[in-house]
Amino acid sequence: MGSIGKVEEFNQDAEVWTQYVERLEHFFEANDIIEEKKKKSTLLAVCGARTYEVIRSLCLPEKPADKSYSDLKVLLENHMCPKPSVIMKRFKFNSRFKQPTESVSSYITDLRKLAEHCAYGNQLPDMLRDRLVCGIDDRKIQARLLADGNLDFKKAEATALAMEAAAKDTEDLQQAGEYRSSQVNKIQERRGEGRKIQETPWVRTNPRPQCYRCGGPHVAPSCHFARATCFKCKKVGHLARMCRNKADMERKMHKIEGEEEDGETTGEEYTLYTVRGAREPPVIVHPEVNKVAIPMEVDTGAAVSIISQKVYEESWKDTCKPVLEYSDVVLRTYSGDLLKVMGEVNVEVNYNNQSKVLPLVVVDGDGPSLMGRNWLKQIKLDWAAVYSCRSECDKVIRSFSNVFKEELGLIRNTKATLHVDKEAQPKFFKARPLPYALKDKVEHELERLVNDGVIEPVQFSEWAAPIVPIVKGDKSIRICGDYKMTVNRVSRVDSYPIPKVEDLLANLSGGKTFSKLDLSHAYSQLPLEEESKKYVTINTHKGLFVYNRLPYGVSSAPGIFQRVMENLLQGIPHVVVYLDDVLVTGKTEREHLSNLTEVLRRMDDAGVKLKLKKCVFQAPEVTYLGHKINAEGLHPSEDKVQAVIKAPTPSNITELKAYLGLVNYYGRYIPNLSTVFAPLYRITATGRGMAMGTRTAACPCHIETTVGELQGVGAL
């Protein structure tokens, strides 16, 4: 006799462990599995290879077979579902409000889910009632609930659901009334009898109603799709095309078509690029485009090759940037929305001893660069070489997909500690006013940090630092505490040395290709020791927040994080670490992949998360710490060279020192630098001739001559 039902292997991405155990125990009951030994064997047999590997690791030095079913269940529950913070769960529960497009039943369901770990006990019904009344967005329902002096949760739930349903029915009836009215006001006459068709002005301005369920020309109560399930929001009662949930789908496909100035489509439609996910990394090639290596995704579904405006601006400078010309190509998304085309350039493409002049479309934004069919017809790729390396690298990436999950990591088995003298006087500073342009972004970032568990609100604190919002390259906000006013004054700076660039780059000698790994929210992945949390409290316009993770702005943070990362990756050859940037290489492709596999394995074990979009794998050339690195050696970065060449002539000691520091970073590439700089060093040593507001005849001449010599064409 076969078993009743089936329990598939545990998938951490689709289900939580406690729910999986509940289904498993229902399976035991349905199939009369009572013995502990048989339960254990069933669990180990159906849980899957990934979960079994976790079980083996947790049981070491014993084997899973030596444990009982109850022991294994508790072991995995503690590992998969650690006890959440009651304070954090209650904060999320009390911050939950009903969204405008959300139904009352969906809102109540989510409230029950959020209250699961809040430990309210017998007070749970009252807390659910209060949150329902306070969080509902309909004023009529809210007023009705508040007017009831003997309101409990069950009564509040029934009243809210009934009033929502009544409002929906009223809307349907009004639509039906409008439709009947339009039919009554129509006056029709037959042509043969001298009667002609007429419509009242009311009918012309009020056309037949559109069904909100399917979009058809009828009223909603008579719609055949009243029981249909929406593919977007999964709710019953409407089709996907009429869904009011405007959230964009996570995956989109784009297409290209030609269009004339009058708007008429003239070209055939093509697929521009296909969907890709973290589990299927794209195939990347690195053609040399106008003497600059640009990583491009090979896409046989793309009709044309494209790059983003960001890549166009950053890849070439004024001296060699290709001229952007008008393009009549029109790009449309799958839903028909237009993509903004900035123009088209003709570029010289070199790849595997092939050289062609080909068109390249530049689009707005910062999306991936695509090598489309128009280039693939002219440039012959060595597919065997591409896939022999790429397929192995893809396997490595897929096998560690957990490392690339878009969530905040938590480094295990280590915590950051701030060493502050116990007798230090606490420092408390009030919140600084924010520019109105940044206020919403700061609030959004604070909300994200709270949801990720990086910070949590507190009512009181002896320590508090104001915040400094930093606008990042993607226009998002990074919140840093101004700790130079508080903890940095009284703490001992971690003396762990930050490695020199020369020492790091020396370890890359002999590398052929390179993989660059970027940590997602680096410092925020390192938990903070409990006693140290109070020192890094921040004061914002939204109140006080204490950090649970290592924050930016603490003077000891770089040394602490560098020690953690070096200890994590120590002993792996041809791997260098500079804070949150990790570079991996090898003397052969096999050695490179072996080193990369070991790095990802250790990160997976430690709980570190990487940002896949910013990672580069097996590239012949990468930019690392301001240098271009390839098999031939180190080269200066173009943007840094341009910064030296275009720097204004210093007019005072401070500007001169800043300029000397800028140039010294690339001192190894400049011949006779000390000789050329000797007059400028003498000026900084004496401090004369360049006092602020003072100009002598000799000093500016020395500076202009020396800087002009350095900025010459052959200097770098």
Side-chain angles (χ1 to χ4, degrees), residues 498-509 575-576 625 668:
I498 303 299
K500 296 181 179 179
V501 176
E502 293 80 4
D503 297 336
L504 291 175
L505 300 180
N507 293 330
L508 304 175
S509 177
V575 175
V576 296
L625 302 181
R668 71 178 69 197

Side-chain angles (χ1 to χ4, degrees), residues 168-169 172 210-216 218-228 236-243:
K168 180 63 69 176
D169 292 341
D172 292 343
Q210 183 186 42
C211 175
Y212 68 83
R213 300 188 189 277
C214 69
H218 55 260
V219 292
S222 62
C223 182
H224 295 293
F225 297 100
R227 300 288 183 182
V236 176
H238 62 272
L239 300 181
R241 63 171 175 262
M242 298 301 294
C243 183

Side-chain angles (χ1 to χ4, degrees), residues 399-414:
S399 62
F400 294 101
S401 59
N402 189 54
V403 177
F404 299 101
K405 281 185 179 178
E406 294 187 358
E407 60 184 31
L408 184 64
L410 177 62
I411 300 177
R412 307 186 187 100
N413 303 324
T414 184

Side-chain angles (χ1 to χ4, degrees), residues 284-348:
I284 304 293
V285 293
H286 296 78
E288 196 174 75
V289 183
N290 272 23
K291 300 182 180 180
V292 175
I294 297 180
M296 303 184 76
E297 298 182 14
V298 177
D299 192 349
T300 57
V304 296
S305 300
I306 67 170
I307 60 171
S308 66
Q309 185 181 15
K310 182 179 180 181
V311 173
Y312 173 75
E313 296 293 342
E314 294 180 353
S315 297
W316 303 285
K317 300 305 176 182
D318 295 339
T319 55
C320 60
K321 183 184 294 183
V323 179
L324 190 63
E325 300 177 349
Y326 170 77
S327 174
D328 59 358
V329 172
V330 175
L331 304 179
R332 291 183 182 273
T333 65
Y334 185 75
S335 59
D337 298 327
L338 281 171
L339 294 178
K340 188 175 181 180
V341 176
M342 308 306 298
E344 189 172 315
V345 294
N346 289 318
V347 293
E348 180 183 352

Side-chain angles (χ1 to χ4, degrees), residues 398-438:
R398 283 195 297 270
S399 62
F400 294 101
S401 59
N402 189 54
V403 177
F404 299 101
K405 281 185 179 178
E406 294 187 358
E407 60 184 31
L408 184 64
L410 177 62
I411 300 177
R412 307 186 187 100
N413 303 324
T414 184
K415 290 186 177 182
T417 302
L418 304 180
H419 299 283
V420 178
D421 188 353
K422 294 183 179 180
E423 298 180 358
Q425 187 70 23
K427 303 288 184 181
F428 186 98
F429 292 88
K430 66 179 183 179
R432 292 172 181 164
L434 288 172
Y436 289 112
L438 297 180

